[in-house]
């Protein structure tokens, strides 16, 4: 099973998937190369079984060269993109993913959303930094686009994904499991 882990961070999820037998490509904009080298050493993974790419997710089409994956894991990262960028990326992921997408985003109606000055903007123009208090509380300094559950469903379906299940966590994050039915 080939898995793409977007916004992988230090690789906790990636390691668990590799331990389960998946071949994992992890992508994050921050430099976790040494951490992934250590994971490979600690667990006896080959570079093919657990690969790390430092990159901005908007550059995926150039980086992955249409490499195919069975599953994409995309946790709390989509909201760092403007809506139009997010839409293009989800369409691209649909074109390179055979089976499933697991996605979670910070919700508009969450604690993060409580400090979000763009909350009343339409989704296409909703992209700004959290209030100063929110930036300090959540350590999110970059602009974000927060979603409500209908907006997340809409962007996923517009990109071609079939939503198998979705829910809102106790913290207000929106999560979905989607399948590629084409």
């Amino acid at each position: 099973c080939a898995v793409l882990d977007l916004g992988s961070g230090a690789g906790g999820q990636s390691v668990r998937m590799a331990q389960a037998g998946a071949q994992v490509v992890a992508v994050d904009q921050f430099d976790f190369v040494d951490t992934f080298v250590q994971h490979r050493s600690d667990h006896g993974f080959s570079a093919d079984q657990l690969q790390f790419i430092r990159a901005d997710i908007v550059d995926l089409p150039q980086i992955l060269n249409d490499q195919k994956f069975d599953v994409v894991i995309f946790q709390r990262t989509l909201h760092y993109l403007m809506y139009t960028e997010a839409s293009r990326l989800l369409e691209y992921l649909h074109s390179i993913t055979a089976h499933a997408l697991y996605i979670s985003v910070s919700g508009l109606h969450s604690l993060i959303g409580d400090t979000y000055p763009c909350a009343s903007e339409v989704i296409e123009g909703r992209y700004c930094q959290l209030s100063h208090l929110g930036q300090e509380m959540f350590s999110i300094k970059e602009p974000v686009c927060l979603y409500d559950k209908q907006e997340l469903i809409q962007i996923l379906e517009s990109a071609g994904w079939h939503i198998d299940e979705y829910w809102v966590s106790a913290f207000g994050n929106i999560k979905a499991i989607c399948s590629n039915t084409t």
Side-chain angles (χ1 to χ4, degrees), residues 83 108-109 119 121-124 126 145-157 174:
Y83 183 82
L108 186 60
H109 306 294
E121 299 290 327
V122 296
I123 188 71
E124 294 82 3
R126 187 183 307 148
C145 177
L146 301 183
Y147 293 78
D148 69 24
K149 69 180 181 185
Q150 284 309 117
E151 291 163 342
L152 182 62
I153 289 168
Q154 167 66 38
I155 195 171
L156 290 167
E157 289 178 341
I174 308 160

Side-chain angles (χ1 to χ4, degrees), residues 10 21 26 32-33 44 49 68 108 124-125 129 147 151 158-159:
F32 291 104
V33 172
Q49 190 173 8
K68 302 295 184 191
L108 186 60
E124 294 82 3
Q129 291 179 309
Y147 293 78
E151 291 163 342
S158 294

Side-chain angles (χ1 to χ4, degrees), residues 26-99:
V27 179
D28 200 287
Q29 71 176 354
F30 299 107
D31 188 1
F32 291 104
V33 172
D34 292 341
T35 304
F36 274 78
V37 168
Q38 189 64 50
H39 288 320
R40 286 195 294 268
S41 174
D42 290 348
H43 299 283
F45 299 139
S46 68
D48 287 338
Q49 190 173 8
L50 183 63
Q51 178 184 1
F52 176 77
I53 300 171
R54 181 181 184 188
D56 190 319
I57 58 175
V58 296
D59 297 328
L60 281 180
Q62 295 79 31
I63 294 162
L64 297 177
N65 297 315
D66 293 328
Q67 182 178 349
K68 302 295 184 191
F69 296 90
D70 296 300
V71 176
V72 174
I73 308 294
F74 201 7
Q75 295 189 81
R76 296 192 61 229
T77 304
L78 184 73
H79 54 256
Y80 288 108
L81 302 177
M82 289 185 286
Y83 183 82
T84 54
E85 291 174 321
S87 180
R88 282 192 300 271
L89 181 60
L90 288 167
E91 288 172 6
Y92 174 72
L93 292 174
H94 185 264
S95 75
I96 64 166
T97 307
H99 299 295

